[in-house]
Amino acid sequence: MDLTQTSDLWWKTAVIYCLDVETFADGNGDGCGDFVGLTQRIDHLNRLGVTCIWLMPFFPSPDRDDGYDIIDFNNVDPRLGTLGDFVEFIRTAHDRGMRVIADLVVNHTSDKHPWFEEARSSRESPKRDWYVWRDEPPPDAEKGVVFPDKEKSLWTRDDKTGQYYLHRFYKHQPDLNVANPQVRDEIAKTMGFWMELGLSGFRVDAVPFLIETTGQDDAAELPEPHDYLADLRAFLTRRNGEAILLGEVNLPYPDTMRFFGSSDGVGDELTMCFDFIGMQRMYLSLARRDAEPLASALQERPEPPRDAHWATFVRNHDELTLDKLSESQRQEVFDAFGPDPDMQLFGRGLRRRVPPMLGGDMQRIRQVYSLLFSLPGTPVLFYGEEIGMGENLEVEGRLAVRTPMQWTSGPDAGFSTADPSSFPGPLVEGDFGPQNVNVEGERRDPDSLLCWMRMLIERYRECPELAWGDYEILDAGHRAVLAHSCRLDGSTILVVHNLCDEPVDATLTLDGATELTELLRDGTVKVGTDGKVQLSLEPYDCRWLRATG
Ligand code: NOJ
């Protein structure tokens, strides 16, 4: 396939990079990251090969859930800059050929949002129905609490009016009532507002909770919840034909599939869904040094509709959730990558980043990212992954992995000229802190993780087979070896990973090729007349090969 043909459905070959403006770069020297700082640092992302920036919430917020608690959907938090700074940033990103998407957090607002303050003021308030109220909590009010360390119920009594309101997350995040047409209008208006300012779509927070209408009195008036998601998508594409919805849906594959929508097999709801299952199985494979869990996830994973795609990731801003593994599998991953209870969160995940989890073993760390960029799906990076940042377990909860970006080796990490005590949170310390891990140093070092990432991204972008092709898991004759091929228009890429710490000789069968050309190193490999390929793999080897002949 000609590469230019892939650009209409740009998200299928995108490299998405998630960052929080607050912790990325400070431009005005007050210690807090801002849009000016981000704009000054944008060429780092361009050089890396990022094609789409995902901004975590940057809206005015009391910041009790790191900005996921919003008090004004149509503004910029003054700590991070102004709407003008936002527009300058967008313009600069576009100038570098990068698109920008942002978190759409409309399942709930902050309890300090003027809508909620008005709604809770009296049962007769015109905004009362914008949230979800009941006289008594339902019998299963404790079921499905997302943050069990802080909340015991999904319903909290509001003393002034004596009713209970629904909150899927913290009690300071009351759920909006999307069954109310005025609320739906406001949500659309917000999407329209940011698209008008240049966004190319949204990462939609907590989608299953957003569209569910349980407990909402007028739920019957709402069309089928998935129709609402299709409405949102239709609105989005009416305003901007190339805009996307990337949804957070952490459900088993068959349930997640529903969120792509269907209409005539093209997909009319979410453009992309994160592959939470594949991510969790990858960690199980790494822990066991056995390709099977990941291979079977990829085999089970349904094909998304024609224009849709899976979004793949190995780390994000939340805990590394392992909630879809069995208890004993989860324990295996905990034992391997986070045995200390302080590294674990909510009994279901790890609050660590990849390099410390893998004991700083560069071969293994490189391999994780080789998997990310070669397995089918649009790769999504979390800031700092490209240089191998670690976490700071002294910082509370999920914030352990949201420390300031490390630009230089200085005591302020080049994040800001202000004193580090005024930063949004402490820096990482020790082996993975700025002294040892930073952009400036890695740019100059051809053996750095940063240079490895750049090469992976370059190859991934050069090989549309990976994103567009039909993939197949191949038998490599050894349980530690994951091998897959991606075929498109008669062209084939073969990818082989050795997940164990010993050399392995792999034998694969590949039809229709006489020779393979290495893409991550020099060299070629002959294919036998019987289609057999022999590969001597080093410990944790990563091989991408293009078939010829
Ligand atoms: C999911 C986000 O990823 C998480 O960080 C946030 O706390 C909840 N949604 C609530 O918005």
Side-chain angles (χ1 to χ4, degrees), residues 144-162:
V145 167
V146 179
F147 301 128
D149 60 330
K150 294 275 172 0
E151 303 297 344
K152 295 285 161 273
S153 171
L154 303 186
W155 295 84
T156 290
R157 186 168 189 277
D158 198 38
D159 288 337
K160 176 135 196 245
T161 53

Side-chain angles (χ1 to χ4, degrees), residues 65 68 105 108 147 169-170 173 203 205-206 248 317-318 398 402:
D65 182 14
Y68 283 89
V105 189
H108 49 266
F147 301 128
F169 298 97
Y170 296 112
Q173 291 166 317
R203 177 268 187 186
D205 192 60
E248 184 196 24
H317 61 291
D318 285 325
R398 292 171 294 158
R402 303 183 193 175

Side-chain angles (χ1 to χ4, degrees), residues 99-169:
R99 294 179 171 85
V100 183
I101 63 173
D103 252 287
L104 181 71
V105 189
V106 289
N107 171 69
H108 49 266
T109 65
S110 158
D111 62 351
K112 300 285 178 287
H113 194 297
W115 297 346
F116 189 68
E117 294 200 320
E118 205 179 319
R120 81 194 315 183
S121 66
S122 106
R123 290 194 189 200
E124 280 70 49
S125 156
K127 292 267 183 331
R128 186 73 173 176
D129 186 52
W130 286 35
Y131 295 85
V132 186
W133 301 93
R134 286 178 78 126
D135 290 335
E136 292 298 331
D140 61 352
E142 285 107 64
K143 217 176 122 210
V145 167
V146 179
F147 301 128
D149 60 330
K150 294 275 172 0
E151 303 297 344
K152 295 285 161 273
S153 171
L154 303 186
W155 295 84
T156 290
R157 186 168 189 277
D158 198 38
D159 288 337
K160 176 135 196 245
T161 53
Q163 279 190 312
Y164 290 77
Y165 63 89
L166 174 68
H167 53 88
R168 267 288 162 185
F169 298 97

Side-chain angles (χ1 to χ4, degrees), residues 231-532:
D231 281 354
L232 281 185
R233 173 70 182 276
F235 171 78
L236 179 96
T237 35
R238 268 203 309 282
R239 290 284 172 101
N240 175 356
E242 58 145 47
I244 60 158
L245 295 180
L246 162 60
E248 184 196 24
V249 183
N250 179 10
L251 294 173
Y253 282 136
D255 302 315
T256 302
M257 283 306 287
R258 295 196 58 206
F259 290 79
F260 284 119
S262 61
S263 186
D264 65 29
V266 174
D268 61 352
E269 295 182 32
L270 296 177
T271 326
M272 289 196 282
C273 292
F274 286 107
D275 181 4
F276 278 94
I277 307 287
M279 180 279 287
Q280 302 188 32
R281 300 270 199 94
M282 182 197 77
Y283 281 100
L284 187 58
S285 270
L286 294 178
R288 289 184 180 169
R289 295 181 160 87
D290 177 355
E292 197 282 329
L294 177 54
S296 61
L298 291 165
Q299 278 160 335
E300 282 160 38
R301 194 175 79 169
E303 270 298 300
R306 196 192 68 197
D307 290 356
H309 212 30
W310 291 102
T312 50
F313 65 107
V314 297
R315 206 55 196 89
N316 68 10
H317 61 291
D318 285 325
E319 78 282 7
L320 189 174
T321 184
L322 302 165
D323 65 339
K324 297 293 182 290
L325 299 180
S326 71
E327 215 171 305
S328 64
Q329 293 171 337
R330 185 162 43 248
Q331 195 54 49
E332 284 180 65
V333 180
F334 281 168
D335 291 345
F337 303 133
D340 186 333
D342 188 38
M343 299 168 173
Q344 301 164 13
L345 206 57
F346 312 133
R348 62 169 185 246
L350 289 167
R351 49 190 211 108
R352 306 194 77 191
R353 283 184 179 252
V354 171
M357 283 195 283
L358 298 179
D361 183 334
M362 276 315 285
Q363 280 302 107
R364 285 196 101 180
I365 298 164
R366 285 163 177 249
Q367 183 176 67
V368 166
Y369 292 101
S370 171
L371 286 166
L372 175 68
F373 285 101
S374 62
L375 291 173
T378 299
V380 183
L381 284 172
F382 180 50
Y383 78 92
E385 284 196 280
E386 73 276 27
I387 52 171
M389 273 171 61
E391 69 278 350
N392 185 339
L393 292 173
E394 300 296 311
V395 188
E396 209 227 326
R398 292 171 294 158
L399 297 180
V401 300
R402 303 183 193 175
T403 58
M405 178 69 181
Q406 299 169 188
W407 297 101
T408 67
S409 60
D412 54 20
F415 168 73
S416 166
T417 52
D419 189 88
S421 61
S422 62
F423 290 4
L427 292 157
V428 175
E429 286 167 11
D431 290 351
F432 302 97
Q435 261 204 326
N436 303 309
V437 173
N438 64 76
V439 175
E440 194 177 62
E442 293 193 31
R443 277 186 67 186
R444 288 194 293 258
D445 174 4
D447 293 327
S448 66
L449 186 62
L450 180 62
C451 290
W452 174 250
M453 292 281 211
R454 272 194 208 150
M455 177 165 74
L456 292 175
I457 292 176
E458 222 173 78
R459 294 296 171 278
Y460 157 80
R461 295 277 294 167
E462 287 163 2
C463 300
E465 295 88 346
L466 295 173
W468 286 78
D470 295 323
Y471 71 95
E472 191 187 346
I473 303 293
L474 306 176
D475 181 7
H478 193 290
R479 58 184 309 133
V481 178
L482 180 74
H484 73 281
S485 64
C486 298
R487 291 173 191 266
L488 181 74
D489 294 346
S491 163
T492 303
I493 303 287
L494 172 69
V495 183
V496 186
H497 289 97
N498 173 16
L499 303 186
C500 78
D501 53 358
E502 285 169 13
V504 166
D505 286 324
T507 308
L508 314 133
T509 309
L510 197 72
D511 297 331
T514 55
E515 195 172 69
L516 303 170
T517 305
E518 299 271 8
L519 298 179
L520 301 180
R521 62 183 75 170
D522 289 337
T524 52
V525 176
K526 287 266 170 271
V527 182
T529 44
D530 52 359
K532 291 259 184 288

